[in-house]
Structure formats: C-alpha cells, structure tokens
Amino acid sequence: MIPIDHTGGYVYTENNKLYTLSSNPGIRVYGEKTVKLSDYEYREWNPRKSKLAAYIKAGGRTFPLNKDSRVLYLGASSGTTASHVSDIASDGKVYCIEFSPRMFRDLVNTCATRPNMLPILGDAVNPSEYQFAVGPLDMVYSDVAQKRQVDIIADNMDLFNTDIGMVAIKARSEDVTLQPSEVYRASEKRLTDRGFEILESVDLEPYENAHKMLVFRRG
Ligand SMILES: C[S@@+](CC[C@H](N)C(=O)[O-])C[C@H]1O[C@@H](n2cnc3c(N)ncnc32)[C@H](O)[C@@H]1O
C-alpha cells in the first residue's frame, strides 16, 4: 500500500485503486472491499461511488483534509463518502447533514460505530437550524445535487465562519437546458462575486458525467 503524496499520505493506492485506512476495522459501510496488511485494514474507495475519490483519480491536488480536520459535510446521504472522510479525519470530526429521513436512517447506522461522525437531520439551505449541533470547523464539503449548489455551501461557510470549501457541482441539478461548461462558469463566477478564490476546478469525467469539483477559499 503506497501513501499518495498530494493527499498528505492520508489516501493510499495499490494496483491503481484508492484506499483509506479504516478507523473502524472489521466493519464495512457499503459492501466495499477491504485489505488487511499486518495490523491495519484498508477500505477500497471507489471513484464511481464517491465524487471525492473521483476528484483524486481525476487529478485533484488541493486535498484540504488531514487527520485533524473538522468537516461540515452537506448531503451525506447514507455516509458512503463521509465514512472515508471520517477515516482520514481520524482525530477530527465530520458533521453530516442530510435532509431525507430515508437516507438519514442509514446514515445513523453508519455513524453508530464511528465516534468522529455525527449524523444531523437538517436542510443545508437553512444552516441556522443545525448551528447548535456543529462545533468549530476547518472546512465545508458539499454534494447536495440540487439547485443553488454554490450558494448553499457559501451560506454555510459564512454562518460557520469557515475559509475552505469543496463543492461537487452537478450541472444538471442547476439547469438541464444549459451546457455543463456554462453552469461551471456561472458557479465559479458566483463564488468569486461572493469573495472566494477558486483554488482548483476538476472535471470528474470519466467517473461522473457532467460534474466538477471546485475547491476554493475565502479571498
Ligand atoms: C448525490 S447524493 C450524496 C452522496 C454522498 N455525498 C456520497 O458521496 O456518499 C445527494 C444527497 O444530498 C441530499 N440533499 C439534497 N439536498 C439537500 C439539502 N438541502 N439538505 C440536506 N441534504 C440534501 C440528498 O437527500 C442526497 O442524499
């Protein structure tokens, strides 16, 4: 297992596959494969099931996560990607926001054996509703696949006074009539208009169609 340099060594690779070091050995979250090496267990991280893994495979280099990161994760669903973030941020915290009661039930199960992952039933559009449950943050990650994706993450970053953001833009969620490139351009402009600087813009093809990952910081 070889640690990947540009993630600070928190993500591993072997035979072209990605892995995170499991913080909860013996438990699979979504049927992922695991590999045991001496005392350590690694969980395979599939770029076709996780946009954060797709970002790494597609060449993303500004990987703003480490073992101490305190992350607000918007659109956690059942916790597939969030569980890998929790492996990486093993001494940090992952506050997982999900508004679908059905997905939230599965998210609660995922979080049950991961002490650094907190499930919060809430709407990312109204961050003041869950403000009471969230501690100090280092970054916000968002994958909500709905309209106004950049405003949703930017509103959260403003409320929680956070400087680093990472948002998976699903072009079709903004406007099916626009070319994805137009949606990306408008999203980047909206972020810069709101005072953020784009650090990286990574197309997630061929792992995800018509998706881009933007990494940005307060300017
Ligand atoms: C594309 S899926 C997320 C997949 C997940 N990030 C992963 O990689 O494992 C989008 C999720 O965001 C949730 N969602 C959409 N809009 C939301 C909102 N305003 N607040 C909270 N969750 C939202 C959906 O219910 C869905 O579970």
Side-chain angles (χ1 to χ4, degrees):
M1 209 59 72
I2 302 162
I4 301 181
D5 270 356
H6 61 266
T7 68
Y10 296 105
V11 179
Y12 301 81
T13 185
E14 194 169 75
N15 298 329
N16 241 354
K17 292 182 173 161
L18 297 181
Y19 296 85
T20 55
L21 180 61
S22 179
S23 57
N24 191 17
I27 307 282
R28 288 175 197 189
V29 174
Y30 55 101
E32 71 278 19
K33 287 188 183 146
T34 56
V35 177
K36 274 216 163 90
L37 283 179
S38 56
D39 283 344
Y40 299 107
E41 184 173 288
Y42 297 83
R43 300 167 58 227
E44 192 177 327
W45 195 7
N46 187 335
R48 296 194 185 271
K49 292 189 176 163
S50 168
K51 283 155 221 153
L52 186 53
Y55 154 84
I56 296 169
K57 288 292 278 181
R61 289 292 179 275
T62 316
F63 188 75
L65 286 164
N66 61 48
K67 76 172 181 12
D68 298 314
S69 296
R70 296 159 302 177
V71 182
L72 178 64
Y73 190 125
L74 309 176
S77 190
S78 57
T80 299
T81 299
S83 68
H84 290 282
V85 174
S86 117
D87 281 348
I88 293 162
S90 53
D91 293 340
K93 273 260 183 284
V94 191
Y95 300 94
C96 300
I97 310 298
E98 174 54 52
F99 75 172
S100 150
R102 165 76 191 83
M103 300 322 297
F104 187 74
R105 274 199 296 278
D106 293 344
L107 179 63
V108 168
N109 286 335
T110 303
C111 296
T113 54
R114 290 181 166 265
N116 69 340
M117 252 179 107
L118 259 91
I120 299 171
L121 182 63
D123 185 343
V125 170
N126 298 314
S128 55
E129 283 179 3
Y130 48 81
Q131 189 177 12
F132 73 95
V134 177
L137 296 175
D138 299 299
M139 71 164 298
V140 181
Y141 178 89
S142 183
D143 180 18
V144 291
Q146 67 157 84
K147 258 193 186 311
R148 296 183 60 253
Q149 292 161 103
V150 293
D151 278 307
I152 289 172
I153 186 171
D155 290 348
N156 276 267
M157 289 171 71
D158 286 350
L159 185 75
F160 291 104
N161 197 19
T162 314
D163 289 344
I164 302 286
M166 200 167 183
V167 59
I169 304 287
K170 179 176 181 175
R172 282 196 301 272
S173 293
E174 291 297 336
D175 189 337
V176 282
T177 67
L178 291 179
Q179 286 296 319
S181 57
E182 292 175 66
V183 172
Y184 305 146
R185 210 173 308 119
S187 301
E188 292 187 18
K189 179 169 184 318
R190 181 72 185 138
L191 284 174
T192 48
D193 286 350
R194 286 189 64 155
F196 294 98
E197 176 193 357
I198 308 292
L199 300 177
E200 206 176 17
S201 173
V202 177
D203 201 314
L204 302 187
E205 305 258 6
Y207 306 102
E208 286 281 355
N209 287 334
H211 277 77
K212 241 189 180 190
M213 188 71 80
L214 304 182
V215 189
F216 57 100
R217 73 167 168 227
R218 207 173 286 282

